[in-house]
């Protein structure tokens, strides 16, 4: 009889332990979800005190992709909702970390009361769902944003900024997804693709991709090109605070000795056209057309620093 009692007691303890472990595991999963919007975190690495590197499996991309997340002071698991700033890189970057490695993003946002997300956008992804290829917009808008909200407690107060190709992404995402972003900034951005179609196609081709796979043929698929052209979409940005900066391509004060001019001036013309359309449509826009300056990171770092007060104020950060 005693042996039966002992074994019954042991069995009860084991069952109780299993139940406790199951509850703890379930609670842990509820507190730290690793998937949302169809995307799933498959690897997470702490980088210093503030940064985390995520490897995300994306159905829209059909593969894994990387994200750097910079957490604000006071962030802790379960806190929030936090404002969030998305920073988009430009074309042909070796990886998505150029904003951190060359653009001073971690230093500049150290006092920002917001989560900062630096995602990969592909070397020539153009922040678009390709006609034949990866779906970058679907990944960023429908998968990554819900994932950041679930994992880190990000809220609906969002801003977005980008350089060069990322400037197109920032403005196009804000215009194509009403109510998603409260502010958007472009630094030397591709803001009017109407007169730049051959160069865009050449850029895609030089990076080993099929130009027709992006937005299709410029004539046969003109509607697709216009649907991704920030200048054509600018009237949709009336509820978004905008910031646009660009140089004129001449070597300036942040260039090294012996620097030569580049194509920044062509992007300035696009920015000016975009600005004219925005003001005509009653859109709130701040500009910084600073004259001398090339298409290089010293100017984008300065541009981010200048834009941050507006971006932060728009999202309550």
């Amino acid at each position: 009889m005693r042996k039966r009692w002992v074994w019954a007691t042991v069995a009860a303890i084991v069952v109780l332990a299993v139940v406790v472990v199951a509850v703890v595991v379930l609670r842990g999963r509820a507190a730290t979800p690793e998937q949302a919007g169809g995307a799933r975190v498959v690897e997470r690495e702490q980088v210093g005190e503030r940064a985390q590197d995520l490897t995300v499996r994306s159905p829209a991309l059909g593969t894994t992709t990387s994200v750097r997340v910079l957490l604000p002071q006071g962030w802790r698991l379960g806190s929030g909702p936090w404002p969030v700033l998305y920073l988009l890189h430009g074309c042909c970057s070796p990886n998505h970390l150029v904003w951190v490695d060359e653009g001073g993003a971690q230093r500049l946002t150290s006092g920002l009361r917001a989560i900062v997300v630096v995602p990969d956008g592909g070397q020539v992804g153009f922040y678009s769902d390709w006609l034949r290829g990866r779906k970058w917009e679907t990944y960023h808008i429908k998968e990554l944003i819900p994932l950041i909200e679930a994992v880190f407690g990000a809220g609906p107060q969002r801003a977005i900024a980008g350089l060069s190709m990322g400037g197109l992404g920032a403005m196009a995402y804000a215009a194509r997804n009403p109510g998603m972003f409260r502010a958007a900034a472009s630094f030397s951005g591709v803001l009017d693709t109407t007169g730049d179609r051959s160069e865009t196609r050449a850029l895609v081709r030089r990076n080993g991709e099929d130009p027709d796979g992006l937005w299709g043929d410029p004539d046969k698929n003109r509607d697709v090109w216009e649907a991704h052209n920030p200048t054509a979409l600018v009237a949709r940005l009336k509820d978004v605070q905008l910031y646009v900066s660009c140089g004129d391509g001449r070597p300036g004060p942040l260039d090294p000795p012996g620097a030569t001019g580049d194509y920044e001036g062509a992007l300035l013309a696009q920015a000016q056209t975009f600005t004219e359309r925005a003001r005509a449509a009653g859109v709130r826009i701040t500009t910084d057309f600073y004259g001398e300056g090339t298409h290089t990171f010293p100017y984008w770092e300065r541009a981010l620093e200048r834009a941050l007060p507006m971006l932060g104020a728009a999202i309550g950060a």
Side-chain angles (χ1 to χ4, degrees):
M1 181 67 70
R2 182 176 179 79
K3 288 184 177 179
R4 289 181 182 175
W5 180 83
V6 170
W7 281 112
T9 302
V10 170
I13 292 172
V14 170
V15 170
L16 180 60
V18 170
V19 171
V20 170
V21 169
V23 170
V24 170
V25 169
L26 289 173
R27 284 181 178 174
R29 287 179 180 173
T32 57
E34 295 293 314
Q35 60 184 33
R40 178 168 55 93
V41 177
V42 296
E43 187 175 345
R44 193 196 305 210
E45 179 184 357
Q46 188 72 33
V47 183
E49 294 183 0
R50 187 180 166 214
Q52 290 190 20
D53 280 341
L54 307 184
T55 300
V56 175
R57 180 163 295 282
S58 161
L61 299 180
T63 186
T64 57
T65 184
S66 300
V67 185
R68 169 66 61 88
V69 179
L70 302 173
L71 298 172
Q73 293 181 6
W75 181 92
R76 66 185 185 283
L77 190 62
S79 62
W82 288 90
V84 58
L85 169 64
Y86 288 84
L87 285 180
L88 308 182
H89 65 78
C91 165
C92 321
S93 299
N95 57 57
H96 65 298
L97 293 176
V98 288
W99 258 124
V100 176
D101 295 340
E102 300 182 56
Q106 183 156 338
R107 175 183 60 82
L108 291 174
T109 62
S110 60
L112 192 69
R113 297 284 296 170
I115 297 169
V116 180
V117 181
V118 188
D120 185 15
Q123 283 196 310
V124 282
F126 274 92
Y127 298 96
S128 303
D129 284 359
W130 284 45
L131 290 184
R132 295 189 302 277
R134 292 177 175 174
K135 309 299 184 184
W136 288 105
E137 182 173 0
T138 295
Y139 161 61
H140 288 132
I141 300 298
K142 296 184 178 180
E143 295 178 357
L144 181 61
I145 287 178
L147 187 66
I148 296 298
E149 291 175 352
V151 176
F152 295 102
Q157 301 84 11
R158 308 179 197 93
I160 188 166
L163 65 90
S164 195
M165 179 182 77
L168 178 148
M171 295 302 179
Y173 280 1
R176 289 168 57 85
N177 299 276
M180 185 66 70
F181 300 99
R182 298 187 177 186
S186 165
F187 313 132
S188 306
V190 180
L191 296 183
D192 185 7
T193 60
T194 301
D196 192 33
R197 295 177 179 180
S198 61
E199 180 56 33
T200 298
R201 289 172 61 83
L203 193 62
V204 172
R205 184 181 294 108
R206 286 197 298 270
N207 282 272
E209 301 285 353
D210 176 15
D212 287 338
L214 175 56
W215 299 322
D217 180 87
D219 296 319
K220 295 179 181 179
N221 302 103
R222 186 179 183 86
D223 58 332
V224 181
W225 280 77
E226 288 300 285
H228 293 86
N229 180 6
T231 293
L233 302 175
V234 71
R236 301 184 187 181
L237 294 166
K238 290 182 179 179
D239 295 327
V240 184
Q241 295 185 52
L242 304 185
Y243 187 99
V244 175
S245 70
C246 197
D248 63 16
R250 295 176 297 165
L254 303 183
D255 289 293
T260 57
D262 60 19
Y263 52 85
E264 179 85 350
L267 296 174
L268 175 60
Q270 294 184 26
Q272 290 169 333
T273 299
F274 176 87
T275 298
E276 290 171 3
R277 298 276 185 89
R279 287 177 173 157
V283 177
R284 294 169 294 172
I285 185 168
T286 300
T287 60
D288 180 16
F289 299 145
Y290 44 82
E292 295 178 346
T294 55
H295 200 70
T296 53
F297 258 105
Y299 295 98
W300 301 326
E301 181 175 353
R302 186 181 69 179
L304 176 59
E305 184 174 22
R306 290 177 174 179
L308 272 175
M310 184 276 280
L311 295 170
I315 57 176

